[in-house]
Amino acid sequence: MDEVEVVVAHSERATVRVGDVFLKVDADQARIDVEVEAMSLAPVPTPKVLWHKPPALAIAALPGTTLGRLGGPSTGSSAAWAAAGAAIRKLHDAPLPSWPGRAGRSIAVLGAELDEECELLVTNGLLPADLVTRNRRVAEAALRPWTPAFTHGDLQIAHVFVDGDEVTGVIDWSEAGQGDALYDLATFTLGHEERLDDVLTGYGTGIDLDVIRAWWSLRSLLAVRWLTEHGFDPFAPGCEVDVLKSRM
């Protein structure tokens, strides 16, 4: 009998794997609904939905492996990373979904959230003030008008599978919707800055690198406290705190 593997689990959602089946349980039914709808619309390979009965979703495993994970070594060839970039571009060029996603928060909302989080990081003693202040300045470049795109919203490298130099699928679409395309690119290359050129080889030119760097800082600043409170370690080598230190 296959063993049950806990992929991720915290107070908001949990994912377990049994053999070739992933079972996702989410306290927020709207996230599961978004995931199913986004996968049906996305013009890139996605997992097969086996069944969907609130509050759970069962999907089939994808062939291939991920390109790595935050805090770990990046794997795959330059061509595989470029293929991922091309797939991301195909998603961003697709017809827009009808709803806003995680990457689609307004400038005003993001700015207010960022200011509040920066204050909490310092007052709670999680990060030194100079580190927060420097990255808050860098993050400012992300707070600008943008053209809506079909975004994944949580495009970590652990969510993109490849087999050789071919993308075989993208998982975890619960944050998808209209949003800033550069948010996805920054999320995908977070902690793996050395792979950005490969990704852009497939994605295309005309990308504002200062905005990518700004999103690295912004996303990391917003994530540190949540990760700490939910049993994850943003202080691990190569993770969010190291991303913030790299901007000093």
Side-chain angles (χ1 to χ4, degrees):
M1 177 179 293
D2 291 312
E3 294 183 349
V4 176
E5 174 192 355
V6 178
V7 179
V8 63
H10 50 76
S11 60
E12 295 180 4
R13 68 190 83 171
T15 301
V16 299
R17 178 175 185 170
V18 183
D20 290 333
V21 176
F22 286 87
L23 181 65
K24 305 184 70 173
V25 181
D26 199 314
D28 184 350
Q29 179 56 38
R31 282 196 294 253
I32 292 287
D33 293 340
V34 164
E35 180 152 12
V36 173
E37 180 70 10
M39 287 193 293
S40 73
L41 297 174
V44 297
T46 60
K48 179 181 179 181
V49 175
L50 302 176
W51 53 264
H52 172 212
K53 185 176 182 180
L57 170 67
I59 59 176
L62 289 168
T65 59
T66 67
L67 287 169
R69 61 179 178 81
L70 183 62
S74 62
T75 59
S77 64
S78 293
W81 284 82
I88 296 168
R89 185 55 180 253
K90 188 174 183 180
L91 173 67
H92 290 167
D93 286 344
L96 293 174
S98 60
W99 65 91
R102 179 70 175 171
R105 288 166 291 172
S106 71
I107 295 172
V109 168
L110 267 174
E113 184 180 353
L114 182 59
D115 287 340
E116 179 182 6
E117 199 63 34
C118 287
E119 182 178 353
L120 288 171
L121 288 170
V122 175
T123 58
N124 292 347
L126 281 172
L127 294 176
D130 61 339
L131 182 64
V132 172
T133 299
R134 168 58 180 162
N135 278 276
R136 176 62 182 85
R137 286 199 296 265
V138 173
E140 189 68 29
L143 304 178
R144 86 286 176 221
W146 40 269
T147 301
F150 189 160
T151 53
H152 180 279
D154 190 21
L155 199 62
Q156 304 172 45
I157 57 172
H159 293 163
V160 177
F161 285 72
V162 298
D163 187 1
D165 298 335
E166 178 183 355
V167 175
T168 58
V170 182
I171 64 172
D172 285 0
W173 291 82
S174 61
E175 307 287 357
Q178 295 186 29
D180 180 1
L182 298 194
Y183 179 93
D184 272 355
L185 287 173
T187 301
F188 189 65
T189 54
L190 184 73
H192 292 288
E193 187 172 352
E194 77 282 359
R195 292 293 193 171
L196 180 58
D197 286 345
D198 291 333
V199 172
L200 295 183
T201 295
Y203 187 87
T205 57
I207 300 303
D208 189 331
L209 297 182
D210 285 339
V211 175
I212 296 288
R213 297 184 186 102
W215 273 121
W216 287 337
S217 289
L218 199 159
R219 181 180 169 93
S220 297
L221 286 169
L222 293 182
V224 167
R225 190 169 59 90
W226 186 94
L227 291 167
T228 302
E229 292 175 352
H230 287 78
F232 301 99
D233 186 7
F235 293 86
C239 292
E240 285 81 3
V241 174
D242 275 357
V243 171
L244 295 172
K245 290 178 178 177
S246 71
R247 305 272 70 85
M248 296 298 286

